[in-house]
């Protein structure tokens, strides 16, 4: 049984295959228009979503299948019944499950007890679907992945950062993390080690840098994510802005990256927080091409997990 949980579980060949498939499916969507006939995807959400929900649901529809949106509010998951029982029951009805849960440990339990593939659609530790689509977008724009340098700026104790670290290392891209010298905003040591181990094999590098200018220097891609991830309480906003402000991606900072550097954000984004409006709405920004690719990449992921490609 194949699942998509952490990107570090994939081989370099597997992630490169998914990226190339996503590019191919985008060019020839009609080739897959019945690939999911009579198939059902269950989508369990414990946190909000726009892109993930819409792209998975639309992807299933475009491939002739069906998706069920299931809010955790309507579910006994983990409260009235165990995750084990939910997984066993749901597997009897549906062909594939994606879940956006607060805790990766809950996702793991869901996957361990499911007889159909399970996808981590954002947990505290991972956002693998996002990063497959991000790498697809970079490959489309730059024509290659290996040897490029991506700088991630801002809150780095973060699911997107972790999957970017795994994903970049797997495809041979160098990753620089620009973040405050403060444990609350730095990647966990365990993830740094995992990424470094993968990077050693692909000949790439993983660097944690606390000087914002040094971090973006010579970057091909500058990437940022929300300073206020879904699980962060509003009461922390003021303090977070204070600490993270030096790592805001603004046009002054972008000047230190390569001339042809691209700007990415997985979205949702707040102008004036993790980036300024002139950057996200400016000519270097590719955030909506990136968002569109969620659709094509989800299709590749679903087809791969179900053994259709
Ligand atoms: N990037 C992303 O996962 O967006 P949503 O939270 O809107 O799904
Ligand atoms: N880090 C963000 C990603 C949203 C897609 C969050 O967890 O909310």
């Amino acid at each position: 049984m194949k699942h998509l949980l952490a990107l570090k579980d994939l081989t370099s060949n597997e992630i490169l295959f998914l990226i190339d498939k996503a590019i191919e499916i985008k060019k020839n969507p009609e080739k897959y228009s019945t690939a999911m006939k009579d198939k059902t995807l269950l989508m369990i959400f414990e946190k909000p979503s726009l892109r993930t929900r819409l792209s998975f649901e639309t992807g299933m529809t475009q491939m002739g299948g069906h998706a069920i949106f299931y809010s955790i509010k309507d579910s006994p998951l983990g409260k009235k019944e165990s995750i084990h029982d939910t997984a066993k029951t749901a597997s009897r009805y549906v062909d594939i499950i994606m879940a956006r849960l607060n805790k990766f440990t809950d996702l793991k339990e869901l996957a361990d007890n499911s007889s159909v593939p399970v996808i981590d659609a954002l947990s505290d530790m991972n956002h693998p679907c996002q990063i497959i689509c991000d790498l697809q977008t970079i490959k489309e724009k730059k024509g290659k992945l290996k040897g490029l340098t991506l700088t991630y700026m801002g809150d780095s104790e973060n699911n997107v950062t972790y999957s970017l670290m795994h994903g970049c290392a797997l495809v041979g891209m160098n990753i620089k993390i620009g973040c405050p010298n403060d444990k609350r905003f730095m990647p966990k040591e365990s993830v740094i080690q995992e990424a470094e181990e993968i990077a050693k094999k692909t000949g790439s590098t993983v660097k944690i840098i606390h000087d914002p200018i040094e971090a973006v220097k010579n970057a091909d891609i500058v990437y940022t994510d929300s300073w206020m991830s879904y699980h962060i309480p509003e009461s922390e906003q003021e303090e977070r802005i204070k600490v993270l402000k030096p790592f805001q991606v603004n046009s002054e900072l972008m000047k230190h990256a390569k001339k042809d550097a691209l700007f990415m954000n997985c979205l949702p984004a707040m102008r004036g927080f993790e980036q300024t409006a002139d950057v996200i709405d400016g000519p270097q920004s590719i955030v909506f091409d990136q968002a569109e690719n969620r659709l094509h990449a989800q299709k590749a992921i679903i087809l791969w997990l179900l053994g259709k490609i």
Side-chain angles (χ1 to χ4, degrees):
M1 175 60 47
K2 252 193 310 205
H3 301 295
L4 180 60
L5 300 176
L7 279 188
K8 70 177 163 63
D9 302 336
L10 299 188
T11 63
S12 292
N13 281 343
E14 284 173 326
I15 192 165
L16 290 168
F17 173 79
L18 283 169
I19 295 161
D20 286 343
K21 269 291 162 193
I23 293 172
E24 193 258 315
I25 291 167
K26 182 177 180 177
K27 286 186 188 144
N28 304 297
E30 62 293 333
K31 197 170 142 195
Y32 301 91
S33 62
T34 57
M36 285 295 107
K37 187 173 179 297
D38 299 329
K39 300 279 183 218
T40 299
L41 164 73
L42 171 63
M43 310 191 294
I44 304 175
F45 282 93
E46 197 171 16
K47 299 192 239 193
S49 171
L50 175 74
R51 283 143 287 271
T52 304
R53 179 187 172 177
L54 298 189
S55 56
F56 266 110
E57 191 163 337
T58 307
M60 280 303 281
T61 305
Q62 291 184 358
M63 295 193 293
H66 174 61
I68 299 172
F69 172 75
Y70 200 72
S71 162
I72 206 92
K73 286 193 214 91
D74 306 320
S75 154
L77 181 74
K79 293 187 188 82
K80 188 92 168 66
E81 77 180 10
S82 62
I83 292 175
H84 167 276
D85 287 359
T86 299
K88 294 267 178 218
T89 307
S91 308
R92 299 286 178 109
Y93 306 131
V94 304
D95 303 282
I96 181 162
I97 300 171
M98 58 125 285
R100 172 167 282 194
L101 304 182
N102 288 319
K103 291 193 276 174
F104 177 66
T105 46
D106 287 349
L107 248 147
K108 184 83 178 65
E109 196 178 339
L110 191 71
D112 286 346
N113 292 289
S114 168
S115 55
V116 300
V118 171
I119 300 167
D120 181 343
L122 185 75
S123 61
D124 53 346
M125 292 301 291
N126 304 295
H127 200 1
C129 306
Q130 178 67 53
I131 276 54
I132 291 168
C133 127
D134 296 339
L135 295 172
Q136 172 197 350
T137 313
I138 295 168
K139 184 146 189 205
E140 285 174 346
K141 301 282 180 194
K142 296 278 183 192
K144 63 172 189 176
L145 295 170
K146 200 168 171 59
L148 294 177
T149 297
L150 181 146
T151 294
Y152 173 91
M153 291 292 285
D155 176 15
S156 306
E157 204 289 275
N158 171 296
N159 36 32
V160 168
T161 321
Y162 293 163
S163 287
L164 272 173
M165 289 167 75
H166 293 146
C168 287
L170 276 168
V171 302
M173 279 173 64
N174 306 310
I175 183 160
K176 296 202 271 179
I177 307 290
C179 62
N181 191 1
D182 177 331
K183 281 266 171 270
R184 290 172 303 167
F185 302 103
M186 285 169 64
K188 290 187 200 312
E189 206 45 55
S190 57
V191 183
I192 299 175
Q193 276 174 20
E194 287 160 4
E196 280 176 345
E197 245 163 67
I198 302 169
K200 236 187 268 164
K201 291 187 205 144
T202 60
S204 57
T205 57
V206 180
K207 290 188 183 141
I208 313 297
I209 300 169
H210 303 303
D211 174 343
I213 294 179
E214 205 47 50
V216 294
K217 213 176 260 172
N218 286 322
D220 296 286
I221 316 286
V222 180
Y223 194 122
T224 188
D225 181 19
S226 177
W227 290 350
M228 290 297 293
S229 282
Y230 290 125
H231 62 283
I232 312 276
E234 225 175 299
S235 56
E236 288 183 22
Q237 182 166 302
E238 211 182 319
E239 157 72 3
R240 292 174 72 87
I241 292 176
K242 224 188 295 159
V243 184
L244 290 164
K245 195 68 191 253
F247 295 85
Q248 179 188 66
V249 181
N250 51 44
S251 45
E252 209 32 61
L253 194 69
M254 281 302 282
K255 285 187 193 149
H256 296 277
K258 281 194 182 152
K259 253 204 166 72
D260 62 350
L262 299 172
F263 172 76
M264 300 179 78
N265 183 325
C266 58
L267 307 179
M270 292 280 285
R271 288 160 178 78
F273 279 47
E274 68 274 3
Q275 71 283 289
T276 49
D278 56 348
V279 170
I280 195 168
D281 300 321
Q284 288 169 289
S285 173
I286 54 167
V287 298
F288 297 113
D289 292 333
Q290 182 186 1
E292 179 196 325
N293 280 342
R294 292 297 303 276
L295 172 66
H296 312 296
Q298 315 298 30
K299 289 183 182 174
I301 292 163
I302 293 167
L303 292 167
W304 179 67
L305 288 173
L306 290 177
K308 302 279 185 192
I309 52 174

